[in-house]
Amino acid sequence: MVDHVIMRTAEIAAALAAVERRIDRACANAGRSRDEITLVAVTKTFPAADVRALAELGIVDVAENRDQEAAPKAAECADLPLRWHFVGRLQTNKARSVVSYADVVQSVDRHRLVTALSAAAGKAGRSVRCLVQVSLDESAGAGEAPAPGGDRRGGARPDEVPALADAIAAADGLELGGVMAVAPLGGDPVAAFDRLAGVAARLREHHPAARVVSAGMSTDLESAIECGATHVRVGTALLGGRAAIVR
Ligand SMILES: *Cc1c(COP(=O)(O)O)cnc(C)c1O
C-alpha cells in the first residue's frame, strides 16, 4: 500500500478505537452490554477508500444519505462484506436505485415512500429492512415548511408512526426493523431520545420483532445509549469533519 493509504488507515483506526472506548464507557454507565449496540459508520462525503479502510478495521455497517453519492460508492465496494444503510431524505423516484444496494432504509417517513420501496424491492427480488424515521422536533410537525434558515430534518410525527409501521409490516419486500431519529438541533438530546424510546416501546407492543432504535451521532452517542439506542450512526468522530454539502 502507498504511504498515504497506510497513514489514513492508521488515522481511522485511532478514531475508531476512541469511538469504541466512548461506546464501552456509555454501555458501562447505562448497565448495558456492548453487543446490544451496532456502530454504523456514516461515510457520506468520504471516498470509497475510507469505506475500504473501515471494512478492514472490522466495520460491517455503513451509511450514506444521498443516492447520487451512495450508488457509485456501494458499487466500488461491492466486493466487501458490508451492510449499507440509507439515512437521508429519500425521493420516491430514487427508491429503485437505493433498493439496488441498501439493506436498510432508516429514513422512511411517509406512506408514498413505503409504496415506492415495496414496488422497487419486488422488482429487484430483494428484501429491505425499513425503519420509521421519527421527528423529535416538537415545534414543527412533519410536512410543515422549515422555519426561515431552519433545517427540517425529516421524519414522521410520533402520532403518525403506528400507521406507517403497519404499512411497512404489511408491504411485500419490506421488513419493519424499528425506528430512527436525529436529535433536534440545540435541544436536550436525552429528552429527545427518551421520547424516541417511548415511541419505540409503543411500536413493539404491536410489532415485537421491530427492536431497532437508531439514535445518536458523533456528539450525542452517549445520550442515545443511555436512552436505549441499539444503533449509533457516527460520521465525524470516525472520519473527520465534512466540507459543507449543499442539499
Ligand atoms: C451525517 C449523519 C450522521 C452522522 O453525523 P456525525 O455528526 O458526523 O456523526 C448520522 N445520521 C444521519 C441521518 C446523518 O445524516
Side-chain angles (χ1 to χ4, degrees):
M1 274 194 285
V2 281
D3 279 358
H4 72 266
V5 175
I6 294 171
M7 283 171 61
R8 178 63 174 153
T9 302
E11 185 174 67
I12 295 172
L16 175 58
V19 168
E20 282 292 350
R21 279 194 299 275
R22 288 176 59 191
I23 294 173
D24 283 344
R25 210 177 307 128
C27 285
N29 287 341
R32 302 183 63 194
S33 153
R34 170 65 184 87
D35 37 317
E36 292 174 38
I37 315 295
T38 300
L39 170 60
V40 181
V42 182
T43 52
K44 66 188 183 204
T45 78
F46 290 96
D50 282 0
V51 178
R52 205 161 277 283
L54 286 163
E56 275 168 26
L57 294 165
I59 289 286
V60 173
D61 292 274
V62 294
E64 288 281 332
N65 74 335
R66 293 191 316 138
D67 177 61
Q68 309 89 290
E69 180 184 350
K73 212 184 284 185
E76 262 188 84
C77 296
D79 58 313
L80 301 172
L82 293 170
R83 193 155 43 221
W84 290 84
H85 298 246
F86 192 85
V87 298
R89 301 277 292 162
L90 179 51
Q91 293 169 320
T92 51
N93 63 1
K94 297 286 169 63
R96 196 157 179 186
S97 174
V98 167
V99 158
S100 71
Y101 56 85
D103 303 287
V104 185
V105 176
Q106 297 204 1
S107 45
V108 179
D109 62 357
R110 59 200 191 280
H111 285 272
R112 268 168 42 84
L113 193 50
V114 175
T115 309
L117 287 169
S118 176
K123 282 203 190 88
R126 281 173 61 93
S127 172
V128 178
R129 173 174 259 217
C130 293
L131 308 185
V132 179
Q133 183 176 351
V134 185
S135 170
L136 299 175
D137 188 347
E138 285 179 309
S139 63
E144 288 179 21
D151 160 33
R152 197 171 88 69
R153 304 188 126 193
R157 286 193 318 263
D159 63 290
E160 297 171 327
V161 171
L164 209 44
D166 290 347
I168 293 168
D172 288 334
L174 307 184
E175 179 211 339
L176 177 65
V179 293
M180 179 274 250
V182 178
L185 286 170
D188 171 12
V190 171
F193 293 146
D194 268 341
R195 275 207 302 287
L196 181 65
V199 173
R202 284 191 293 282
L203 181 68
R204 286 196 301 272
E205 289 172 13
H206 298 279
H207 302 281
R211 310 191 62 81
V212 172
V213 181
S214 173
M217 319 198 301
S218 291
T219 56
D220 55 17
L221 68 89
E222 285 87 356
S223 301
I225 289 172
E226 179 188 332
C227 298
T230 63
H231 289 58
V232 292
R233 309 177 307 270
V234 179
T236 308
L238 287 175
L239 296 174
R242 292 178 293 270
I245 47 171
V246 181
R247 281 193 266 190

